[in-house]
């Protein structure tokens, strides 16, 4: 078994000795690099100049949501088990939806900060990925259509994830329909931003194509079948029109596929970021209007297309 380095995201092991990294060998990266959240946590919030991998933040966004689900369901099971026996969501779809675990106290109090962290990670990914897409467009690696698709997908996803903690404000007790469709909208935008990532990449393997196809099928069918159950609901109904086990499979299956993003997201080039403190000649802070800063800005070629951040 040989340790190998991949182009950007993994240090893993060549188990079968063929000199290539197969999808199942990427699972070994969980033994060497660890989950994305752990990798980012080890940086201790430090900002260091060097290569940055945008996908790490997208993977951590999904892992943060899965962590929230696990912790919330454990707390609900221990401190509020009665909600599992009967709730507004179960009445409509016939089973306990993912949301049941974090919709009520005390699990909701733990879920909220984790959803805020999820939003922070999502916005960070979108900012980095948009920067990389701009650089790749300059290098001719992607065309204008691919760049615009990435830009719009990142913009929509980042703004929505900032608002996503509202899921814990608009609970089923407030409005069960709005609560559920906020959840469905998150599924669709998550898939869109992953699809944009695939569109940018020059190295999409067959296993990754199979994964995103399954991810897309789950993303499409779950809101459609869920909407059927909700639109046909009448008080006192015993069984939903769509068998509960089909929707349940799509629901929980979507999150299993999300957790596998660390394995199947395609490799894309990292970007190099440099952090530098700008001081004047006396060692004091230099404002943007300082002559030295203005002179540095003047060195940027006028023909170079300006990059304008579009995220908060």
């Amino acid at each position: 078994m040989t340790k190998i380095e991949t182009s950007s995201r993994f240090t893993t092991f060549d188990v079968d000795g063929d000199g290539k990294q197969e999808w199942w060998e990427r699972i070994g990266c969980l033994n060497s690099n660890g989950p994305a959240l752990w990798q980012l946590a080890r940086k201790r919030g430090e900002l260091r100049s060097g290569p940055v991998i945008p996908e790490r933040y997208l993977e951590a966004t999904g892992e943060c949501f899965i962590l929230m689900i696990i912790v919330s369901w454990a707390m609900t099971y221990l401190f509020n088990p009665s909600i599992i026996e009967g709730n507004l969501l179960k009445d409509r779809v016939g089973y306990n939806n993912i949301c049941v675990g974090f919709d009520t106290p005390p699990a909701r109090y733990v879920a909220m900060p984790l959803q805020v962290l999820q939003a922070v990670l999502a916005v960070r990914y979108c900012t980095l990925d948009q920067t990389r897409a701009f650089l790749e467009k300059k290098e001719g690696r992607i065309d204008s259509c691919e760049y615009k698709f990435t830009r719009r997908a990142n913009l929509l996803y980042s703004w929505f994830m900032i608002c996503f903690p509202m899921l814990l404000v608009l609970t089923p007790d407030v409005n069960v329909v709005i609560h559920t469709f906020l959840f469905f909208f998150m599924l669709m935008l998550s898939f869109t931003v992953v699809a944009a990532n695939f569109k940018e990449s020059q190295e999409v393997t067959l296993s990754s194509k199979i994964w995103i196809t399954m991810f897309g099928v789950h993303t499409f069918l779950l809101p459609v079948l869920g909407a059927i159950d909700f639109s046909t609901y009448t008080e006192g109904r015993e069984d939903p029109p769509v068998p509960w086990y089909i929707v349940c499979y799509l629901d929980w299956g979507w999150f299993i596929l999300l957790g596998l993003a660390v394995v199947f997201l395609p490799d894309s080039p990292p970007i190099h970021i440099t952090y530098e403190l700008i001081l004047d000649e006396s060692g004091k802070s230099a404002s943007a209007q300082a002559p030295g800063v203005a002179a540095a800005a003047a060195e940027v070629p006028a023909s170079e297309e300006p990059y304008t951040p579009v995220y908060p």
Side-chain angles (χ1 to χ4, degrees):
M1 183 171 66
T2 305
K3 189 175 182 179
I4 60 174
E5 300 287 340
T6 64
S7 58
S8 59
R9 293 169 50 224
F10 293 101
T11 300
T12 187
F13 295 96
D14 181 18
V15 178
D16 56 8
D18 63 357
K20 299 179 181 179
Q21 182 195 45
E22 310 295 342
W23 70 267
W24 55 273
E25 289 173 329
R26 283 190 171 189
I27 299 176
C29 77
L30 299 179
N31 297 321
S32 55
N33 291 346
L37 272 176
W38 170 245
Q39 294 179 51
L40 294 177
R42 286 187 299 177
K43 294 183 178 180
R44 303 176 184 175
E46 298 176 5
L47 296 178
R48 297 179 180 178
S49 298
V52 176
I53 304 169
E55 282 78 12
R56 193 69 73 243
Y57 290 88
L58 182 59
E59 294 159 0
T61 301
E63 290 173 4
C64 187
F65 195 60
I66 293 172
L67 175 63
M68 182 197 73
I69 292 169
I70 294 171
V71 173
S72 297
W73 269 93
M75 294 191 67
T76 297
Y77 179 79
L78 291 173
F79 300 108
N80 191 16
S82 61
I83 198 69
I84 299 175
E85 299 299 324
N87 53 75
L88 294 173
L89 293 174
K90 191 174 183 179
D91 291 343
R92 285 159 175 76
V93 295
Y95 73 98
N96 281 312
N97 172 267
I98 289 282
C99 298
V100 171
F102 52 76
D103 280 341
T104 57
R108 192 194 309 168
Y109 306 144
V110 177
M112 178 60 81
L114 288 173
Q115 282 206 343
V116 173
L117 175 60
Q118 184 188 8
V120 171
L121 294 168
V123 171
R124 179 62 170 164
Y125 165 74
C126 291
T127 304
L128 292 172
D129 187 56
Q130 179 59 34
T131 302
R132 180 175 60 191
F134 174 78
L135 296 172
E136 288 196 294
K137 180 174 176 289
K138 285 178 59 178
E139 295 293 328
R141 288 172 54 88
I142 62 175
D143 58 32
S144 295
C145 290
E146 292 168 332
Y147 173 75
K148 290 177 181 177
F149 177 47
T150 295
R151 180 183 176 89
R152 290 167 183 168
N154 286 335
L155 180 60
L156 287 173
Y157 184 65
S158 61
W159 278 109
F160 178 79
M161 292 308 294
I162 291 172
C163 301
F164 189 54
M166 288 296 294
L167 186 75
L168 300 179
V169 177
L170 296 170
T171 60
D173 292 335
V174 176
N175 192 309
V176 66
V177 175
I178 293 178
H179 175 85
T180 301
F181 279 81
L182 272 174
F183 179 72
F184 287 161
F185 201 42
M186 185 275 291
L187 305 186
M188 292 183 286
L189 283 178
S190 295
F191 174 76
T192 301
V193 81
V194 168
N197 183 273
F198 269 69
K199 190 69 174 174
E200 291 176 59
S201 179
Q202 310 293 319
E203 304 176 19
V204 181
T205 63
L206 176 60
S207 58
S208 292
K209 291 178 181 178
I210 294 173
W211 173 81
I212 195 173
T213 300
M214 294 179 62
F215 196 42
V217 170
H218 282 67
T219 302
F220 174 75
L221 289 180
L222 179 56
V224 170
L225 299 184
I228 292 174
D229 282 346
F230 270 78
S231 63
T232 59
Y233 173 74
T234 56
E235 190 172 351
R237 182 183 70 182
E238 292 186 3
D239 298 308
V242 181
W244 70 267
Y245 50 84
I246 295 178
V247 184
C248 181
Y249 158 74
L250 292 170
D251 189 356
W252 290 87
W254 191 91
F255 285 97
I256 292 174
L257 290 168
L258 178 66
L260 291 173
V262 68
V263 178
F264 292 108
L265 278 180
D267 285 336
S268 294
I271 57 177
H272 191 281
I273 295 180
T274 301
Y275 295 97
E276 183 179 354
L277 189 65
I278 300 179
L279 302 173
D280 60 20
E281 294 179 356
S282 63
K284 297 181 179 180
S285 62
S287 68
Q289 288 74 35
V293 178
E299 294 177 2
V300 178
S303 59
E304 183 174 321
E305 182 181 355
Y307 171 66
T308 305
V310 293
Y311 309 111

